[in-house]
Amino acid sequence: MIVLFSDFGLEGPYVGQVQSRLLQCAPGVPVINLFADLAPYDVQAAACLLPAYSTGFPRGSVFLCVVDPGVGGVRHGVVVKADGRWYVGPNEGLFALLARRAARVECWQLPDPVGVSSSFHGRDVFAPVAALLATGATVDAEVVSVTCLAQPRWPDDVFRVVYIDRYGNAITGVRASKVGVTQSLRVNGRVLRAAGTFSDVAPGEAFWYENSNGLLEFAVNRGRAEDVLGVKVGSDFAIQADDRLVPIPPVS
Amino acid sequence: MIVLFSDFGLEGPYVGQVQSRLLQCAPGVPVINLFADLAPYDVQAAACLLPAYSTGFPRGSVFLCVVDPGVGGVRHGVVVKADGRWYVGPNEGLFALLARRAARVECWQLPDPVGVSSSFHGRDVFAPVAALLATGATVDAEVVSVTCLAQPRWPDDVFRVVYIDRYGNAITGVRASKVGVTQSLRVNGRVLRAAGTFSDVAPGEAFWYENSNGLLEFAVNRGRAEDVLGVKVGSDFAIQADDRLVPIPPVS
Amino acid sequence: MIVLFSDFGLEGPYVGQVQSRLLQCAPGVPVINLFADLAPYDVQAAACLLPAYSTGFPRGSVFLCVVDPGVGGVRHGVVVKADGRWYVGPNEGLFALLARRAARVECWQLPDPVGVSSSFHGRDVFAPVAALLATGATVDAEVVSVTCLAQPRWPDDVFRVVYIDRYGNAITGVRASKVGVTQSLRVNGRVLRAAGTFSDVAPGEAFWYENSNGLLEFAVNRGRAEDVLGVKVGSDFAIQADDRLVPIPPVS
């Protein structure tokens, strides 16, 4: 299957145009729209979500990944194969954390596109490549070292809010397994303790928990953590231990 | 076909994750996303919409229904077969009005889930069951009496706004056939008369009508009833007859 | 394939209900949701987008087009065949610019619908016709002259914003090829110059460019043109040459 992971927005024509291109190039291959509303241009936020939300998909799945502030500029397109899944998109950091965590990574660089739009490579460049990968056809790309993948100086876990869902839950760039369940977090001056799930706390109470994809998430039982905590995508936070604030790891 | 009926939101990964699970468990079965933006946690609103919006689907359709404020808690999952269609979801009242109105209802209780997330039973519990039902496979569930379905003390028709659509039309929990077309409604201090459809009234005029699924709906020709009437999901209203206000039926 | 082009909104049940009808009438035909969030009731804006966004689709594609302020009133439904693609929808001007630009146009009028809802012809009238067209079946419709298509007194290029996308880019009703790249535009008292794409200008800088479907679009590199320029759907603008403002073509 082909999985869309983008900041295109559900609104407007972009997802439909990409789906149409996929349908023409890879008829019969199912297309899943996993994320269409990643924070616009926020490559780091997308890079945190990609490994957490792609591991549930079967080997051989092809992820079409587009958060592309540099579209039309000098950045290259790449194909990444990580632990049996394929990823295609612009080389601006989106695959940085995925590559660090995967047991086995291979990488190819796409040739500079010719004769296509300079603003919609998702449709004109990456979708045709994803279709070729999904159908097992040969892709015109050059094997390159994994060190060619853009690697911004980000920590392995990013202590920022990276997505806010419809319920107002705030997903962070931290794997929950890296934080002990006895540890509290300091968020916007408030202290949050861990809970197993929503119904473990009183209605209206804020907590943090390991979400269903392994990321640390802020939530409020039958309420909106976004509003209760006053956070948005990009808000940072820290671990609080013994009333001592652990500094946030540097984010470059 | 499998029909999604949820408060997951179109935004974010949840619908895509459910679709991916369905695709893996029931390849080739079409999936229709009927409602993804039901009012969050509002089981009563969803319960009013479900019978009205599911009757148009063919017998054998499987509805994956998730408005689940009690996820991870003690509530059980259920399968309901009503008038030839299948429904699966949490037993918190979502199926209450459906069961009252159906000519023939059967009910099964799902076993407590083991080894799955405590916050996303839509993906981990109910989607696999829906896939089994859609493919005709056997589901591990216990036949129970219909009296096991949660039945909050709600009236048969709920005089509340239960959904506001993109045009600002306000869908209510009342079957239009239960209100005479000569009757007026009192909404936020305003009196609304019935009309057949939008073009029957002047631009900007508010009215009520029987919508295309049989529910009573407030609308404004080329305008937004939500704004003109100042209503939102949960707003109540009443029938007004001979300048005499008929009390709103009790809503528990 | 069948392509949806509507103001239904992604939210709510309408797209799902249309998809369900298509699935029942034309099983196996892929459905692409191109636009679901056209400006509500704004027939002119939709008419500007339709030719630009449908040319990328293969011949034989069927476009289900619904922006229908006159639903339930006296307007007729039509089928249009333009340059090998099919279009079905209400005859209120939506096909006006498409027909002017196409090399070859044919037109049919649908009979008045009987026994269907008066508010949801997208589902009850146009979807079944689109399904018939997509499967090559015979449609009950009368050949009429192309002059029967509603032709409001609009210019060939409409100097208005017709859509604002998720990034805040403002798509206009002007084909970029009709404006020289050396020409500047006056938008809300600001002067915009042309650029090739986003990365050609500094972050935060506003410009206009030819978007990936040939329309003139206002954009800001890593910013929101909607906010920077203070525009919305319906905002007008003009070409500025030698400090002399070229009048906006009349829009009826």
Side-chain angles (χ1 to χ4, degrees):
Chain A
M1 74 179 80
I2 297 171
V3 184
L4 308 185
F5 181 86
S6 79
D7 67 353
F8 294 155
L10 287 153
E11 55 274 53
Y14 307 126
V15 167
Q17 290 183 292
V18 166
Q19 286 177 319
S20 168
R21 189 64 61 98
L22 293 171
L23 184 64
Q24 293 174 252
C25 299
V29 174
V31 177
I32 295 286
N33 195 7
L34 179 60
F35 270 103
D37 65 333
L38 295 165
Y41 312 126
D42 191 334
V43 176
Q44 189 193 53
C48 292
L49 292 163
L50 185 58
Y53 283 84
S54 61
T55 49
F57 286 82
R59 291 169 65 88
S61 298
V62 179
F63 289 80
L64 174 47
C65 306
V66 187
V67 177
D68 195 8
V71 66
V74 295
R75 62 101 186 97
H76 282 94
V78 285
V79 172
V80 179
K81 188 175 185 186
D83 294 341
R85 296 180 201 91
W86 296 95
Y87 302 81
V88 55
N91 189 15
E92 296 171 83
L94 194 45
F95 308 112
L97 299 178
L98 178 82
R100 287 192 212 168
R101 293 179 197 169
R104 180 176 170 79
V105 185
E106 296 166 273
C107 190
W108 295 260
Q109 185 170 289
L110 298 174
D112 286 333
V114 178
V116 303
S117 75
S118 58
S119 56
F120 198 2
H121 287 186
R123 177 191 68 185
D124 296 340
V125 177
F126 303 125
V129 170
L132 290 171
L133 292 168
T135 55
T138 305
V139 174
D140 173 26
E142 180 192 0
V143 177
V144 293
S145 160
V146 171
T147 59
C148 292
L149 281 180
Q151 273 290 359
R153 293 182 56 252
W154 298 335
D156 288 346
D157 289 274
V158 177
F159 280 69
R160 289 175 59 209
V161 172
V162 294
Y163 187 79
I164 293 183
D165 75 8
R166 185 177 189 237
Y167 306 98
N169 301 328
I171 303 175
T172 76
V174 175
R175 289 165 291 180
S177 61
K178 302 295 175 184
V179 178
V181 293
T182 59
Q183 288 185 293
S184 296
L185 303 177
R186 179 168 288 271
V187 185
N188 252 359
R190 292 185 49 155
V191 174
L192 293 194
R193 300 195 178 283
T197 191
F198 291 74
S199 52
D200 289 349
V201 304
E205 188 174 332
F207 62 102
W208 72 263
Y209 79 119
E210 176 171 349
N211 79 9
S212 57
N213 280 71
L215 292 181
L216 190 157
E217 181 172 310
F218 309 147
V220 170
N221 186 16
R222 305 197 189 202
R224 298 184 60 79
E226 176 186 25
D227 301 333
V228 170
L229 301 174
V231 292
K232 57 186 181 182
V233 171
S235 297
D236 56 16
F237 65 100
I239 295 172
Q240 169 163 304
D242 307 330
D243 291 328
R244 181 175 50 84
L245 208 59
V246 176
I248 300 169
V251 177
S252 63
Chain B
M1 75 178 80
I2 297 171
V3 184
L4 308 186
F5 182 86
S6 79
D7 67 354
F8 293 154
L10 286 153
E11 55 273 54
Y14 308 125
V15 166
Q17 290 184 292
V18 166
Q19 286 177 319
S20 168
R21 189 64 61 97
L22 293 172
L23 184 64
Q24 293 174 251
C25 298
V29 174
V31 176
I32 296 285
N33 195 7
L34 180 59
F35 270 102
D37 65 332
L38 295 165
Y41 311 127
D42 190 334
V43 176
Q44 190 194 52
C48 293
L49 291 163
L50 185 57
Y53 283 83
S54 63
T55 49
F57 286 82
R59 291 169 65 87
S61 297
V62 179
F63 289 80
L64 174 49
C65 305
V66 188
V67 177
D68 194 8
V71 65
V74 295
R75 62 102 187 98
H76 282 95
V78 286
V79 172
V80 178
K81 188 175 184 186
D83 293 342
R85 295 180 202 91
W86 296 95
Y87 302 82
V88 56
N91 190 14
E92 296 171 83
L94 193 45
F95 307 111
L97 299 178
L98 179 82
R100 287 191 213 169
R101 293 179 196 168
R104 180 173 169 81
V105 186
E106 296 166 272
C107 189
W108 293 259
Q109 185 169 290
L110 297 173
D112 286 333
V114 178
V116 302
S117 75
S118 58
S119 56
F120 198 2
H121 286 186
R123 177 190 69 184
D124 297 339
V125 177
F126 303 125
V129 170
L132 290 171
L133 292 168
T135 55
T138 305
V139 174
D140 173 26
E142 179 192 1
V143 178
V144 293
S145 160
V146 171
T147 58
C148 293
L149 280 180
Q151 272 291 359
R153 293 181 56 253
W154 298 334
D156 287 346
D157 289 274
V158 177
F159 280 68
R160 288 175 61 208
V161 172
V162 294
Y163 187 78
I164 292 183
D165 75 9
R166 183 175 189 239
Y167 306 97
N169 302 328
I171 303 175
T172 76
V174 175
R175 289 165 292 180
S177 61
K178 301 297 174 184
V179 177
V181 292
T182 59
Q183 288 186 295
S184 296
L185 303 177
R186 178 168 289 270
V187 185
N188 253 359
R190 292 185 49 154
V191 175
L192 292 193
R193 300 197 179 282
T197 190
F198 291 72
S199 52
D200 289 349
V201 303
E205 187 175 333
F207 63 102
W208 72 262
Y209 80 120
E210 176 171 348
N211 77 10
S212 58
N213 280 72
L215 292 182
L216 191 157
E217 180 172 310
F218 309 147
V220 169
N221 186 17
R222 306 197 189 200
R224 297 184 61 79
E226 176 185 25
D227 302 332
V228 170
L229 301 174
V231 291
K232 56 186 182 182
V233 170
S235 297
D236 56 17
F237 65 101
I239 294 172
Q240 169 162 305
D242 308 329
D243 292 327
R244 181 175 50 83
L245 209 60
V246 176
I248 300 168
V251 177
S252 64
Chain C
M1 74 179 81
I2 297 171
V3 184
L4 308 185
F5 182 86
S6 79
D7 67 353
F8 294 154
L10 287 153
E11 54 274 54
Y14 307 126
V15 167
Q17 290 183 292
V18 166
Q19 286 177 318
S20 167
R21 189 64 61 96
L22 292 171
L23 184 64
Q24 292 174 252
C25 299
V29 175
V31 177
I32 296 286
N33 196 7
L34 179 60
F35 271 102
D37 65 334
L38 295 165
Y41 311 127
D42 190 335
V43 176
Q44 189 193 53
C48 293
L49 293 162
L50 185 58
Y53 284 83
S54 62
T55 49
F57 286 82
R59 291 170 65 88
S61 297
V62 179
F63 289 79
L64 175 48
C65 306
V66 188
V67 177
D68 195 8
V71 66
V74 295
R75 62 103 187 96
H76 282 95
V78 285
V79 173
V80 178
K81 188 175 185 186
D83 293 341
R85 295 178 201 91
W86 296 95
Y87 302 82
V88 55
N91 190 15
E92 296 171 83
L94 193 44
F95 307 112
L97 299 178
L98 178 82
R100 287 191 212 170
R101 293 179 196 169
R104 180 175 169 80
V105 186
E106 296 166 273
C107 189
W108 294 259
Q109 186 169 288
L110 298 173
D112 286 333
V114 179
V116 303
S117 76
S118 58
S119 55
F120 198 2
H121 287 186
R123 178 191 68 185
D124 297 340
V125 176
F126 303 125
V129 170
L132 290 171
L133 292 168
T135 55
T138 305
V139 174
D140 173 25
E142 180 192 359
V143 178
V144 293
S145 160
V146 171
T147 59
C148 293
L149 280 180
Q151 271 292 359
R153 294 181 57 251
W154 298 334
D156 287 347
D157 288 275
V158 176
F159 280 68
R160 288 175 60 208
V161 172
V162 294
Y163 187 79
I164 292 182
D165 75 9
R166 183 177 190 238
Y167 305 98
N169 301 328
I171 303 175
T172 75
V174 175
R175 288 165 292 179
S177 60
K178 301 297 174 184
V179 178
V181 292
T182 59
Q183 288 185 294
S184 296
L185 304 177
R186 179 169 289 271
V187 185
N188 253 358
R190 292 185 50 154
V191 175
L192 292 193
R193 301 197 178 281
T197 190
F198 290 73
S199 53
D200 290 349
V201 303
E205 187 175 332
F207 62 102
W208 73 262
Y209 80 119
E210 176 171 348
N211 79 9
S212 58
N213 280 71
L215 292 182
L216 191 158
E217 181 171 310
F218 309 147
V220 169
N221 186 17
R222 305 196 190 202
R224 299 183 59 79
E226 176 186 26
D227 301 334
V228 170
L229 300 175
V231 291
K232 57 186 180 181
V233 171
S235 297
D236 55 17
F237 64 100
I239 294 173
Q240 169 163 304
D242 307 328
D243 293 327
R244 182 174 49 83
L245 208 60
V246 176
I248 300 168
V251 176
S252 62

